[in-house]
Amino acid sequence: MTSTTRTTAWEELVTSALLGTDRRTPPGDLVPPGTEAPVALLDAAALHTVRRRAGLRPAAARPLPEPAPHDSRPALPEPARRRLAQLLADRAAPAGSGGRRGAAPDLTELLPQWLAAANEHGYRAPASTLPALLDAARARTDLRPLALRFAGPRGLWLARLNADWKFALRGGFGGSTLPAPEDANAVRRLWEEGLFAERVALLASVRAHDPAAARALLTASWPTERAEDRLMFLDSLRTGLSDADEPFLEQALSDRSRNVRATAAELLSALPHSALAARMAARAATCVGLDRAEGREGIAVEAPHECDAEMQRDGVAPTPPSGRGERSWWLGQLVEATPLSAWSERLGGRTAEAIVALPVADGWGDELHAAWCRAAVRQRDPKWSRALLGAPAAPPSTGPGTSSLAERAKLLATLQEEERAEWVAAFISAHGLSEAFQLLGVCAVPWAEPLGRAVVDALDIARDGGSYPWSFSGVMGLAERCLDPAEASRLELLTATPDETEGASPGAGSYWSEAFQRLVSTLRLRATMHAELTMHA
C-alpha cells in the first residue's frame, strides 16, 4: 500500500467515526465480508494506528546552513568565561517570593554591567554560551544592545536558525561583520541585500566614516523603504547630526508617514542654523516678547490663534493631548523648536539666567519654562540647562524651570559628567534621597566620589533615624550597581546591626544591616568581575 493510499484510508476512517457508520459506511476494502461495520471500523482503526506510529515518512532533505562566520575578537579569560556561565544560569533561577532579598548579591542585575565591561575589552562570546545569551536578550529588552554586540556575527548567524531569536534580526546590531566603509561595492551590496539589522549597523559605520556617503545610501533607497524602516534610518541621523543633513531632512518633511515627518522636524529644530529653526523663531517672536508695563520688565505672551498648514508641515501637531488647550499646545511646540540663542536678542540681550528669572504675564510662566526645558534638552545647551535647573538646594517646586524630576533629569544629561554628579550630590544633601532616584539614573557609572558619599551618607542618616528601610530599596539596588567598588571598605562599618531607637520600625535594624552586607558583597563581587576580565586569556 502506498503512502498516499494509507493517508486516504485513515481520513476515510476518521470521517466514518465522526459521522457514524450508519451515515458513512467505511470503505469496502476495510470491511471484511460478514463483519458488522462498527466492529470493522474499530479493527481497521487499530491496524492503521499501529501503522502510523510505526512508520515515518522521511522529510525532504534541506541544505546544510552556511558555516558560522569567523569572529576575530579575542577569547574570554577562563575565569571570566566561568563567571558569564554563572550569571546566565542565575538568570533562569526562580525569583524570590518578595520581601527581604538577603545578603547575597543579585547576579541578575550584574549581567548588564558584566556585558558592558566585556564589550569594552573587545572580547568575543564563547560559542557554548550563545543560546543562553540570546535567550537572556529575548527575555530582557534592556539587555539586547549589550548582548547582541557581545554575541557578535556568530550570534546573528545562530539567530537566523531559531524563530525565537528573530528579534536579533530586526534590532540595531553592531556585531555583524561589516565591509570597510571605503569599499563602495561591498557597502552597496550589503545595503541592497542585507538584513535590516545589518543595514542599520552599516549606515552607522558609513556615516561615522563619510556622512555624505551615508546620506547617498539613504537617498537612493528612500522611496522604496517601509515607513517603520524610514523612521529607524532617520533616527540614526541623531548621531553626528550636522547642517549638511538639512537638505535631506527638509525633503523628509513631506514624507507620507506622520512619524517620519515629526522626526525630521525635530532633528531640524536641533540645528540652530536650519531654515526650519528660523521659521519657528519668527513664529515664536510674534508670541513672546518683553513687557514693560507698570514700570517693571517682564515677558508678555500671546499664544497662536491657529495652526496653519505651514506650521503643520514644520512639525507642529495641530491636535493637543487630552486636557491641553490648543493655543498653549501650539505655543509650546513653537518655543521648543526655536534656537535658544534667539531669546537673548529678543529679550534685551539678557543671559539665560536673567531671562529665566523674568516674571511671565498672565500665568504663562509654567508653559514657557517647560518649553525652554525641552529646547535645552533637544539642543544640548548646557547654559540654558543650568539656568533652568537653578541651585540644587532650592526646593524642586520652586525651581526656575520645571518641578518635574523627569524633566530635571533630562536637563542634567546635557551637562558634563563631573558637573552632573556634583549637582545631584548637592541636591541629595539638601533634600535627601526620596526625590533623587530619577536624577541618580542619569549619572555616570561608577558614581563619582562626592555623589557616592552623598548617597551613602543619606542612607546612613535614614538608618539612624529609624526610617522604613524598604522604602529605600530602590536606591540601595541602584547603589549596588553604581557605587565605585573601592567604597566597599568604607561601608564595612555600616553592616553591623544598629540598636533600635524609640519609634523605629520593628526589625528595621536587622534589615539595614542585611542590606549593607549585600551592598558590600556586591561591590566586592563587581571588583572581582572586572579583575577577571583583565586577566590574560
Side-chain angles (χ1 to χ4, degrees):
M1 182 182 295
T2 66
S3 59
T4 302
T5 303
R6 288 197 298 269
T7 301
T8 303
W10 177 257
E11 292 173 349
E12 290 178 349
L13 286 172
V14 171
T15 301
S16 296
L18 290 174
L19 297 178
T21 55
D22 55 339
R23 297 178 57 189
R24 182 67 174 265
T25 304
D29 58 339
L30 299 180
V31 181
T35 305
E36 295 182 357
V39 175
L41 175 65
L42 294 175
D43 289 343
L47 175 62
H48 281 273
T49 297
V50 172
R51 283 177 175 168
R52 288 170 64 86
R53 290 178 177 175
L56 179 65
R57 295 179 62 191
R62 295 182 180 180
L64 293 174
E66 294 279 338
H70 176 66
D71 191 339
S72 60
R73 296 176 295 176
L76 277 173
E78 182 58 25
R81 190 196 65 76
R82 291 195 299 268
R83 182 72 63 189
L84 173 60
Q86 179 190 19
L87 295 174
L88 290 172
D90 186 77
R91 182 194 68 83
S97 55
R100 297 170 72 147
R101 292 172 49 198
D106 185 347
L107 298 185
T108 302
E109 293 304 317
L110 292 180
L111 181 56
Q113 193 167 112
W114 188 97
L115 289 170
N119 285 331
E120 288 176 6
H121 286 286
Y123 290 122
R124 71 170 182 265
S128 61
T129 65
L130 287 175
L133 193 63
L134 290 170
D135 281 340
R138 179 192 179 201
R140 289 179 56 179
T141 56
D142 63 309
L143 278 180
R144 289 182 184 178
L146 293 170
L148 294 179
R149 179 182 169 191
F150 183 56
R154 291 187 173 185
L156 184 60
W157 170 85
L158 189 61
R160 292 192 185 101
L161 305 178
N162 187 336
D164 289 342
W165 300 326
K166 62 183 179 182
F167 67 86
L169 307 181
R170 289 292 297 171
F173 180 76
S176 58
T177 303
L178 300 174
E182 60 273 15
D183 188 345
N185 291 333
V187 166
R188 175 67 61 182
R189 184 165 56 253
L190 183 60
W191 181 253
E192 293 174 351
E193 302 174 3
L195 296 168
F196 177 75
E198 294 171 321
R199 300 178 72 212
V200 170
L202 177 67
L203 183 64
S205 173
V206 175
R207 183 169 172 81
H209 175 76
D210 185 350
R215 286 191 300 272
L217 284 178
L218 272 179
T219 302
S221 64
W222 190 257
T224 61
E225 303 286 357
R226 301 187 308 170
E228 57 267 36
D229 292 351
R230 294 200 306 277
L231 182 61
M232 288 286 290
F233 289 137
L234 197 63
D235 198 64
S236 70
L237 298 185
R238 295 181 190 277
T239 302
L241 184 67
S242 71
D243 291 336
D245 296 316
E246 182 181 359
F248 179 81
L249 293 172
E250 273 285 345
Q251 291 183 341
L253 286 177
S254 301
D255 195 88
R256 56 188 180 273
S257 166
R258 181 183 62 183
N259 290 334
V260 171
R261 295 195 302 270
T263 300
E266 180 189 344
L267 292 173
L268 284 167
S269 68
L271 296 172
H273 303 297
S274 68
L276 180 139
R279 295 192 295 267
M280 289 298 199
R283 294 176 181 123
T286 66
C287 300
V288 181
L290 277 178
D291 179 13
R292 295 185 173 89
E294 301 180 2
R296 55 177 286 200
E297 287 189 328
I299 297 177
V301 175
E302 179 67 27
H305 289 274
E306 64 173 341
C307 183
D308 59 32
E310 289 301 314
M311 288 171 62
Q312 292 182 44
R313 182 183 182 274
D314 283 345
V316 179
T319 305
S322 177
R324 284 287 299 274
E326 283 185 333
R327 296 181 66 200
S328 65
W329 173 243
W330 300 332
L331 173 71
Q333 293 179 83
L334 295 182
V335 172
E336 72 182 73
T338 295
L340 289 164
S341 58
W343 295 113
S344 179
E345 179 181 352
R346 177 67 178 159
L347 299 174
R350 289 174 169 82
T351 64
E353 289 82 0
I355 291 172
V356 169
L358 286 172
V360 182
D362 302 324
W364 285 102
D366 288 346
E367 186 68 49
L368 186 60
H369 287 179
W372 278 335
C373 285
R374 296 192 295 273
V377 172
R378 182 180 298 182
Q379 298 171 37
R380 310 294 297 177
D381 192 312
K383 291 187 299 184
W384 272 83
S385 292
R386 293 188 197 101
L388 291 162
L389 281 167
S397 58
T398 61
T402 174
S403 60
S404 165
L405 290 170
E407 291 291 340
R408 285 189 159 204
K410 293 177 183 178
L411 290 170
L412 281 168
T414 68
L415 305 180
Q416 293 295 323
E417 291 180 1
E418 183 177 352
E419 182 180 1
R420 197 184 315 165
E422 290 176 353
W423 197 97
V424 177
F427 183 93
I428 292 172
S429 297
H431 308 294
L433 289 169
S434 59
E435 301 282 349
F437 188 79
Q438 285 180 291
L439 306 182
L440 287 168
V442 299
C443 294
V445 177
W447 289 334
E449 193 275 338
L451 177 58
R453 186 173 295 274
V455 171
V456 172
D457 288 346
L459 288 170
D460 192 17
I461 291 170
R463 181 191 70 152
D464 290 344
S467 299
Y468 288 105
W470 42 90
S471 63
F472 293 91
S473 59
V475 175
M476 188 66 79
L478 202 58
E480 292 171 16
R481 299 189 295 275
C482 302
L483 266 177
D484 190 327
E487 294 288 314
S489 298
R490 188 171 71 86
L491 295 172
E492 192 73 52
L493 292 174
L494 300 178
T495 60
T497 303
D499 296 331
E500 290 196 6
T501 59
E502 185 177 351
S505 305
S510 62
Y511 182 100
W512 279 111
S513 173
E514 190 177 84
F516 277 114
Q517 289 175 35
R518 183 174 62 251
L519 176 57
V520 170
S521 61
T522 300
L523 293 179
R524 288 177 172 159
L525 176 57
R526 283 174 51 205
T528 300
M529 284 168 38
H530 283 275
E532 291 168 347
L533 287 166
T534 58
M535 293 179 179
H536 293 294

